[in-house]
């Protein structure tokens, strides 16, 4: 007889990590799968395809302004003779980098603030949450304008501004998670073993808070791409000489009647990307909630 | 002569209830109210009482997982009640706890091997390889397949999870182990397996147990001595046999009458307690048990009964003792 005679068959069908469970469930979510496919295509379009493409984004063909699409310029050219196809790819790079950075930096800051507030509670929680409230009460638009003036326009600056003004919602989300997670008996068990507070917070509780955090990040990426477009449109974002989807929209606005496709292409890229991020976020939320039957 | 491992003196744990505009303390939950007991090296003291009587709080406060309101906790002759969490950390090696809830007490996002290994990591015991080896050995010791090390808690049954809980608690060789109703969440068929495992481990590793239970049925097989708790107070303490043969306190008698008797010739009258356990926020005056006691007398309302030794090692707090 085996030494494990008392053992019952394992409950599950086999070893399945949480990660593979999420992937399996996500793959059942049609819209999310399509969105993921679209996003991967867009990433390849922006980051891989340009490596094999002949034009630089700054290359101007002055003999072919407002050019219609042809075999040389697949999507035509703009008012300065830039190849729209090339600029969509390079513009997408900046827009996506801004989007990702503007989602990841604030979530990191939000996690730190929210984790300490929720875990320790009491006075620390009070102080941190009042600071958060104060930041939430700052009218962000005038601040964008002021900071753009002070720091100048630029990709890094816009990421910093978004991060500076974007961590509060994440901090509140994480705080709420930690408030309830810390009541779990496994947190008490860790304490009983002698695990330090920091390790309990970031090794035990954080992985259990990852689901809503990831969803929030996904949704924020889309939001940040939109905001970048909006700010660029107002001349507060990335300098207009640098192609981003937002800048392409902006530059094309006066030509909307002459060459509507110059508005339509970047518009479609922004729309599809943001929508895909939102669908993916919804799909992740459902996939990560094991109580939900898919 | 047995050596005293831990002694708790007049331990009190009141949870403040905040209220009002300025969040002042408006009342207190008197979860543990001046409780005293001791446990000798290698023995099992069972702490028995209905749910809500303060057993878990007693166990956790004794381990300083909760800061005591007052009272002393003397561990190996040293009062640890005032130590800070940082001062407690090295001592945690010596005193561990196993939890009641096989589901809530294991981190769902950690493979069980990591869960069991964590005490070694935290106290920097052994090399990486030695720790890994220790985990495998420990899993075998508690009856789990070492191959399951990378699996997550939700893949295990309740009984297996309690084995994981035991493994985590004993891998650093503690002296004292608080077992907080380790089997009450399990199927009856699994319960005896876990009890056997715990007894075997106690023998082998010379462990000292505080065994918490809400009824007396399991206790008899497990314990050397028993303390009966009601609404934050210990009402009776005695050696195992003494308590089962000569229960004195009406509450102990009631608990005992609920235990099924194996011998059909022995008839025991079932005492059904009236009413619910009163709130520990506003416990009855005098003797806490008087509102449900079939023998309640006028004095029970006025005066709290003192602990009196009725036989060697057998103490009872009841006014029936002093009635004349
Ligand atoms: N953290 C807490 N805050 C307030 N009240 C608590 C807390 N923990 C336990 N209590 C209360 O203390 C009493 C004793 O609880 P507990 O020690 O869990 O009893 P038992 O383990 O015997 O069931 C209960 O009334 C419970 O509601
Ligand atoms: Mg309990």
């Amino acid at each position: 007889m085996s030494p494990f005679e008392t053992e019952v068959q394992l409950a599950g069908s086999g070893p399945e990590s949480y990660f593979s469970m999420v992937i399996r469930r996500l793959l059942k979510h049609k819209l999310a799968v399509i969105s993921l496919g679209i996003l991967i295509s867009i990433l390849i379009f922006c980051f891989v395809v340009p490596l094999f493409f002949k034009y630089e984004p700054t290359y101007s063909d002055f003999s072919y302004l407002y050019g219609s699409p042809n075999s040389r310029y697949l999507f035509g050219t703009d008012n300065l003779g830039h190849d729209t196809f090339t600029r969509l790819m390079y513009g997408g790079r900046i827009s996506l980098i801004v989007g990702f950075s503007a989602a990841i930096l604030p979530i990191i800051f939000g996690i730190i603030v929210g984790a300490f507030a929720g875990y320790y509670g009491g006075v620390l929680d009070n102080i941190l949450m009042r600071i958060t409230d104060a930041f939430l009460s700052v009218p962000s638009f005038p601040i964008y304008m002021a900071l753009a003036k002070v720091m100048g326009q630029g990709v890094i600056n816009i990421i910093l501004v978004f991060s500076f003004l974007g961590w509060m919602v994440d901090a509140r989300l994480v705080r709420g998670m930690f408030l309830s997670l810390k009541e779990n008996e496994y947190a008490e068990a860790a304490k009983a073993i002698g695990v330090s507070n920091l390790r309990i917070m970031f090794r035990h509780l954080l992985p259990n808070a990852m689901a809503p955090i990831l969803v929030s990040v996904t949704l924020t990426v889309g939001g940040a791409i939109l905001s970048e477009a909006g700010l660029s449109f107002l001349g507060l974002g990335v300098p207009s000489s640098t192609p981003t989807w937002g800048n392409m929209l902006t530059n094309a606005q006066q030509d909307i009647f002459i060459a509507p496709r110059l508005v339509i292409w970047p518009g479609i890229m922004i729309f599809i990307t943001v929508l895909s991020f939102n669908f993916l976020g919804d799909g992740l939320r459902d996939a990560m909630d094991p109580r939900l039957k898919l | 002569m047995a050596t005293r491992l831990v002694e708790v003196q007049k331990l009190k744990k009141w949870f403040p209830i905040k209220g009002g505009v300025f969040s002042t303390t408006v009342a207190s939950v008197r979860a543990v109210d001046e409780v005293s007991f001791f446990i000798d090296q290698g023995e099992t003291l069972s702490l028995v009482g209905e749910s809500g009587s303060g057993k878990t709080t007693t166990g956790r406060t004794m381990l300083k997982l909760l800061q005591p309101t007052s009272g002393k906790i003397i561990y190996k002759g040293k009062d640890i009640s005032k130590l800070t969490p940082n001062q407690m950390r090295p001592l945690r090696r010596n005193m561990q706890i196993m939890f009641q809830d096989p589901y809530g007490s294991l981190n769902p996002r950690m493979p069980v091997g990591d869960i069991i290994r964590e005490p070694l990591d935290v106290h920097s015991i052994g090399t990486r390889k030695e720790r890994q080896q220790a985990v495998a050995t420990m899993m075998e010791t508690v009856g789990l397949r070492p191959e399951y090390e990378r699996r997550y808690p939700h893949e295990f049954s309740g009984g297996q999870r309690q084995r994981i809980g035991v493994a985590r608690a004993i891998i650093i060789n503690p002296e004292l182990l608080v077992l907080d109703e380790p089997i009450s969440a399990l199927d009856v068929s699994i319960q005896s397996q876990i009890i056997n495992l715990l007894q075997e481990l106690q023998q082998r590793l010379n462990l000292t147990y505080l065994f918490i239970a809400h009824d007396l049925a399991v206790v008899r097989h497990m314990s050397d001595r028993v303390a009966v708790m009601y609404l934050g107070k210990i009402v009776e303490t005695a050696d195992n046999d003494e308590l089962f043969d000569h229960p004195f306190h009406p509450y102990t008698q009631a608990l005992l009458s609920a235990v099924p008797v194996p011998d059909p010739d022995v008839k025991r009258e079932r005492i059904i307690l009236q009413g619910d356990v009163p709130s520990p926020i506003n416990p009855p005056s005098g003797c806490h048990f008087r509102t449900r006691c079939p023998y309640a007398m006028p004095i029970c309302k006025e005066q709290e009964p003192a602990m009196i030794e009725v036989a060697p090692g057998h103490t009872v707090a009841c006014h029936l003792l002093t009635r004349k």
Side-chain angles (χ1 to χ4, degrees), chain A residues 2-4 6-18 184-197 199 203-205 207-208 211 288 290, chain B residues 60 65 89 92 95-97 99-101 104-110 114 118-119 121-123 140 143-146 148 151-152 154-157 160 163 168 193:
Chain A
S2 93
F4 310 110
T6 57
E7 197 174 331
V8 216
Q9 200 56 41
L10 277 187
S13 48
E16 185 184 40
S17 69
Y18 180 68
N184 275 308
E185 220 164 42
Y186 60 78
E188 183 95 355
K191 204 171 139 193
I193 288 166
V195 181
S196 66
N197 287 324
R199 191 175 152 119
R203 238 205 100 177
H204 287 266
L205 304 188
N208 284 283
M288 284 176 157
Chain B
R60 291 187 180 182
L65 293 171
R89 198 157 293 134
R92 300 238 168 266
M95 38 182 98
Q96 281 298 312
I97 180 165
F99 294 89
Q100 176 174 10
D101 178 7
S105 56
L106 304 176
N107 188 339
R109 297 277 176 280
M110 256 196 192
D114 291 4
E118 187 162 39
D121 294 343
V122 166
H123 295 279
E140 240 164 297
L144 293 165
R145 287 181 192 275
Y148 291 164
R151 299 199 177 201
Y152 287 81
H154 74 262
E155 299 173 59
F156 294 85
S157 67
Q160 289 173 318
R163 290 172 192 267
R168 166 176 62 189
Q193 295 175 3

Side-chain angles (χ1 to χ4, degrees), chain B residues 42-61:
Chain B
E43 76 167 349
T44 300
L45 173 69
S46 288
L47 190 59
V48 183
E50 282 163 290
S51 160
S53 52
K55 308 178 298 293
T56 297
T57 308
T58 304
R60 291 187 180 182
T61 312

Side-chain angles (χ1 to χ4, degrees), chain A residues 183, chain B residues 13-17 29-32 49-60 66 100 180-181 212-214 229 231-232 278-281:
Chain A
E183 298 299 331
Chain B
K13 179 63 192 177
W14 289 15
F15 295 105
I17 300 172
V29 181
R30 304 178 186 192
V32 178
E50 282 163 290
S51 160
S53 52
K55 308 178 298 293
T56 297
T57 308
T58 304
R60 291 187 180 182
L66 296 167
Q100 176 174 10
D180 190 357
E181 305 202 31
I212 296 175
H214 64 257
M229 193 163 182
L231 210 58
S279 158
I281 297 171

Side-chain angles (χ1 to χ4, degrees), chain A residues 140-198:
Chain A
S140 52
F141 199 69
I143 296 284
Y144 283 139
M145 305 216 301
L147 286 175
K149 278 258 159 49
V150 175
M151 309 204 303
Q153 294 184 319
V155 176
I156 303 283
N157 289 352
I158 199 162
I159 291 171
L160 288 179
V161 171
F162 279 174
S163 306
F164 186 63
L165 293 174
W167 55 271
M168 296 82 75
V169 177
D170 294 329
R172 281 189 164 177
L173 171 83
V174 175
R175 170 185 178 265
M177 296 290 302
F178 270 63
L179 268 183
S180 66
L181 284 174
K182 72 172 175 186
E183 298 299 331
N184 275 308
E185 220 164 42
Y186 60 78
E188 183 95 355
K191 204 171 139 193
I193 288 166
V195 181
S196 66
N197 287 324
L198 271 184

